[in-house]
């Protein structure tokens, strides 16, 4: 038992010794960290104070009046510009504008900012120094909204070289006006321009130019739009004149966009074509099925009206006709004509039945014709009935005062029964078409599709 107690005491002493060493090590580490942190803080603080003094001494910001342009009173200062387009955010047809995010860079020389350097290295600053020196006052002509990005800080960079050359860069998002022509919409191409110009300095004080010509404009390869294909970016420049202030250098960023047609094929052209084809189904429906043909015609007309309204809702209210308007309204006319076609068929059928009813009422039953043959005037007669009717004279069939009217009926029946006499009465083809209303539907089955196909051939050959 005493041996076991001694063992416990030895273990307890070892544990106390280890814990005491750990505590001493923690205290030593914390003290060393504080000393290192204070040393680093003092070192960084001293470096910051040293560079601040060097910056003020080298750039001599407080020794000059930077409200004036460089070489004030002398020739115009050249300011080179280059642009890197980061993204084309949106194209709005309704507002006729576009939104673009870009890096705008200016290059000029200001000898007031020159400083001696043995390494010929530049110094880079953020937007805080920009407020103390002179920078070009370039703005975007015809812009609606624009701003410099400020997350997490102002996206502005100023780089000064020992000989006084300055690089001034900003990240900007701008929404500018674009005059669009929708006469060929949606088979159109649009050309938009972003214009840069000095606001205060005329061409006698500041000369804006593209630093490397067309190479001054660079674009991100990942730029894409949902409705447009970007065909070309290019730069131009010219002088702009204002009657009150004078001539200014103006730079242009031009880009050409071509609209993707597949979306409009699925959403506009294909549904409109299906509605036109659906309206032709009524030509194969029996003329006596009035509810079926009327409801089909009204449905197609209302659907075409909905398609036209939906397309125009997303477009500006221009005062000229667009290409899509031509297609939709011609399709609407075809659908409407199919409704009028059935109205004509129904009307002519009613007129024909009324005439036949009057003929049956006036036709005497004791004229020598068996009663079974009085149905020949109903339009449901056979070839043998017509031939037997042709054997009767007009004097036996009708009274004298109705000879002329019954002669028309007799000639019509004779044409149905005798093919040789039909060829001899070509002048009465129009009368036969009116009397047989099925012929209107039969001809419509050929005329409507043929005309619509011909229209499509002309339309796509002109606008595509």
């Amino acid at each position: 038992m005493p041996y076991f107690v001694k063992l416990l005491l030895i273990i307890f002493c070892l544990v106390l010794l280890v814990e005491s060493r750990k505590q001493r090590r923690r205290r030593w580490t914390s003290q060393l960290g504080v000393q290192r942190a204070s040393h680093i803080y003092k070192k960084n603080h001293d470096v910051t104070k040293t560079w601040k003094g060097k910056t003020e001494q080298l750039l001599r910001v407080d020794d000059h009046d930077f409200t004036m342009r460089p070489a004030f009173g002398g020739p115009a200062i050249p300011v080179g510009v280059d642009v890197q387009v980061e993204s084309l955010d949106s194209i709005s047809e309704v507002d006729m504008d576009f939104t673009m995010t870009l890096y705008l860079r200016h290059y000029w020389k200001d000898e007031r900012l020159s400083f001696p350097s043995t390494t010929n290295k530049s110094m880079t600053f953020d937007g805080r120094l920009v407020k103390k020196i002179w920078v070009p006052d370039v703005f975007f002509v015809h812009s609606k909204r624009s701003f410099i990005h400020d997350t997490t800080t102002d996206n502005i960079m100023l780089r000064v070289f020992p000989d006084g050359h300055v690089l001034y860069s900003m990240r900007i998002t701008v929404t500018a006006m674009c005059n669009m022509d929708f006469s060929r919409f949606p088979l159109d191409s649009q050309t938009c321009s972003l214009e840069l110009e000095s606001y205060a300095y005329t061409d006698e004080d500041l000369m804006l130019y593209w630093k490397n010509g067309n190479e001054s404009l660079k674009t991100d390869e990942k730029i894409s739009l949902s409705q447009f294909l970007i065909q070309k970016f290019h730069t131009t420049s010219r002088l702009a004149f204002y009657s009150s202030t004078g001539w200014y250098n103006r730079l242009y960023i031009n880009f050409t966009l071509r609209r993707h047609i597949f979306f409009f094929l699925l959403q506009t052209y294909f549904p409109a074509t299906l509605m036109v084809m659906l309206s032709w189904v009524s030509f194969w429906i029996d003329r006596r099925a009035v509810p079926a043909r009327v409801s089909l015609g009204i449905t197609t007309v209302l659907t075409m009206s909905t398609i036209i309204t939906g397309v125009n809702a997303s477009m500006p209210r221009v005062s000229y006709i667009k290409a899509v308007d031509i297609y939709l309204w011609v399709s609407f006319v075809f659908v409407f004509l199919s409704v009028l076609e059935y109205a004509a068929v129904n009307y002519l059928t009613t007129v024909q039945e009324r005439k036949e009813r009057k003929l049956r009422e006036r036709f005497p039953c004791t004229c020598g014709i068996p009663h079974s043959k009085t149905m020949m005037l109903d339009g449901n007669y056979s070839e043998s009935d017509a031939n037997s009717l042709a054997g009767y004279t007009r004097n036996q069939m009708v009274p004298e005062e109705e000879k002329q009217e019954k002669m028309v009926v007799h000639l019509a029946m004779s044409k149905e029964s005798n093919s040789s006499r039909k060829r001899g009465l070509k002048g009465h083809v129009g009368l036969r078409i009116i009397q047989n209303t099925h012929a209107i539907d039969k001809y419509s089955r050929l005329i409507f599709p043929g005309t619509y196909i011909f229209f499509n051939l002309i339309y796509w050959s002109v606008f595509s």
Side-chain angles (χ1 to χ4, degrees):
M1 192 68 182
Y3 178 77
F4 180 71
V5 173
K6 291 180 180 179
L7 182 61
L8 290 177
L9 291 174
I10 293 172
I11 294 173
F12 181 73
C13 293
L14 292 175
V15 170
L16 289 177
L17 181 62
V18 171
E19 290 294 331
S20 62
R21 288 183 177 180
K22 288 183 178 180
Q23 290 178 0
R24 286 197 301 270
R25 184 176 297 176
R26 291 193 190 100
R27 286 196 297 269
W28 179 79
T29 303
S30 61
Q31 291 175 1
L32 182 62
V34 171
Q35 292 176 359
R36 288 181 176 178
S38 61
H39 176 70
I40 293 173
Y41 174 77
K42 290 179 180 179
K43 182 178 180 181
N44 291 341
H45 182 70
D46 292 339
V47 170
T48 303
K49 291 177 62 178
T50 302
W51 277 105
K52 182 177 179 181
K54 285 186 177 180
T55 300
E56 291 178 352
Q57 179 182 357
L58 290 177
L59 296 182
R60 302 189 304 275
V61 174
D62 297 331
D63 297 342
H64 302 281
D65 183 8
F66 284 95
T67 59
M68 301 294 181
R69 68 173 178 87
F72 180 77
I77 175 174
V79 177
V81 176
D82 69 35
V83 173
Q84 180 173 348
V85 179
E86 180 181 1
S87 65
L88 263 175
D89 301 323
S90 64
I91 306 290
S92 176
E93 291 89 355
V94 177
D95 298 327
M96 285 193 179
D97 59 22
F98 65 93
T99 302
M100 177 186 294
T101 300
L102 51 88
Y103 295 94
L104 178 61
R105 304 184 182 97
H106 306 80
Y107 302 85
W108 74 94
K109 184 177 181 180
D110 191 346
E111 295 182 352
R112 296 172 296 184
L113 297 177
S114 61
F115 59 91
S117 176
T118 57
T119 60
N120 199 27
K121 291 184 178 180
S122 62
M123 291 192 299
T124 302
F125 307 95
D126 57 16
R128 287 171 288 186
L129 185 62
V130 174
K131 300 177 181 179
K132 299 181 180 180
I133 65 173
W134 180 90
V135 293
D137 59 339
V138 175
F139 78 105
F140 297 100
V141 185
H142 302 145
S143 66
K144 298 181 179 180
R145 297 174 298 276
S146 60
F147 62 92
I148 299 175
H149 289 261
D150 56 0
T151 306
T152 58
T153 184
D154 291 341
N155 295 172
I156 298 176
M157 186 268 289
L158 186 70
R159 183 172 295 170
V160 182
F161 293 85
D163 58 354
H165 280 88
V166 181
L167 165 60
Y168 176 44
S169 176
M170 298 176 290
R171 182 169 176 258
I172 303 174
T173 294
V174 55
T175 300
M177 182 181 64
C178 178
N179 293 322
M180 301 182 184
D181 182 15
F182 298 105
S183 59
R184 298 177 65 89
F185 176 86
L187 305 169
D188 58 334
S189 296
Q190 303 294 341
T191 299
C192 299
S193 299
L194 184 63
E195 306 172 12
L196 295 84
E197 182 182 303
S198 173
Y199 191 83
Y201 298 100
T202 64
D203 62 337
E204 297 179 354
D205 294 323
L206 189 146
M207 183 181 67
L208 279 179
Y209 68 97
W210 290 112
K211 189 174 184 298
N212 298 313
N214 283 331
E215 299 297 328
S216 302
L217 179 62
K218 298 180 180 179
T219 59
D220 194 338
E221 296 179 355
K222 298 180 180 179
I223 294 179
S224 62
L225 295 170
S226 59
Q227 291 191 25
F228 292 92
L229 173 65
I230 302 176
Q231 289 186 322
K232 182 175 61 175
F233 273 96
H234 65 281
T235 61
T236 55
S237 61
R238 67 175 185 180
L239 290 175
F241 177 74
Y242 297 91
S243 58
S244 301
T245 54
W247 293 89
Y248 294 81
N249 295 110
R250 182 176 296 182
L251 306 181
Y252 295 82
I253 303 174
N254 305 309
F255 55 95
T256 303
L257 306 172
R258 184 171 182 83
R259 197 182 304 273
H260 293 299
I261 187 59
F262 189 71
F263 171 80
F264 296 94
L265 288 177
L266 292 179
Q267 300 295 326
T268 304
Y269 288 96
F270 189 63
T273 304
L274 287 182
M275 287 300 104
V276 175
M277 296 174 64
L278 184 61
S279 67
W280 300 339
V281 176
S282 63
F283 302 151
W284 277 266
I285 299 177
D286 188 3
R287 57 176 178 168
R288 299 180 184 85
V290 177
R293 297 189 66 164
V294 171
S295 60
L296 180 61
I298 294 176
T299 301
T300 53
V301 169
L302 293 179
T303 305
M304 284 300 305
S305 301
T306 303
I307 294 175
I308 294 173
T309 304
V311 172
N312 291 328
S314 59
M315 294 298 299
R317 297 178 180 178
V318 296
S319 58
Y320 49 85
I321 298 177
K322 304 181 290 292
V324 68
D325 293 335
I326 296 175
Y327 192 91
L328 291 179
W329 280 106
V330 170
S331 300
F332 183 83
V333 169
F334 272 88
V335 172
F336 187 73
L337 287 178
S338 66
V339 178
L340 294 182
E341 186 270 346
Y342 177 64
V345 169
N346 192 24
Y347 174 76
L348 294 176
T349 302
T350 304
V351 171
Q352 182 186 8
E353 291 177 353
R354 186 182 300 114
K355 289 183 178 180
E356 292 177 354
R357 192 182 306 111
K358 291 181 179 180
L359 288 176
R360 286 196 301 270
E361 292 176 356
R362 296 179 182 180
F363 194 79
C365 298
T366 59
C367 59
I369 303 177
H371 180 69
S372 60
K373 293 187 177 182
T374 60
M375 298 299 293
M376 289 188 294
L377 299 178
D378 195 16
N380 299 321
Y381 54 87
S382 62
E383 186 70 20
S384 61
D385 293 334
N387 292 333
S388 62
L389 180 62
Y392 292 96
T393 62
R394 293 191 299 274
N395 293 331
Q396 292 175 333
M397 294 174 59
V398 296
E400 185 66 24
E401 62 271 16
E402 298 178 359
K403 286 182 180 181
Q404 186 176 359
E405 184 178 2
K406 299 302 184 291
M407 186 185 301
V408 176
V409 179
H410 178 70
L411 291 175
M413 292 180 177
S414 299
K415 286 183 288 184
E416 294 293 336
S417 62
N418 194 343
S419 59
S420 61
R421 295 182 62 186
K422 186 189 301 182
R423 287 192 295 266
L425 297 174
K426 293 182 179 179
H428 296 277
V429 174
L431 180 61
R432 179 167 60 85
I433 294 175
I434 294 176
Q435 290 181 345
N436 185 9
T437 54
H438 291 287
I440 299 179
D441 285 336
K442 181 178 67 175
Y443 294 144
S444 298
R445 296 169 190 173
L446 299 176
I447 295 175
F448 275 73
T451 308
Y452 194 69
I453 292 173
F454 180 72
F455 161 71
N456 273 271
L457 292 176
I458 296 177
Y459 179 86
W460 293 109
S461 62
V462 171
F463 290 103
S464 62

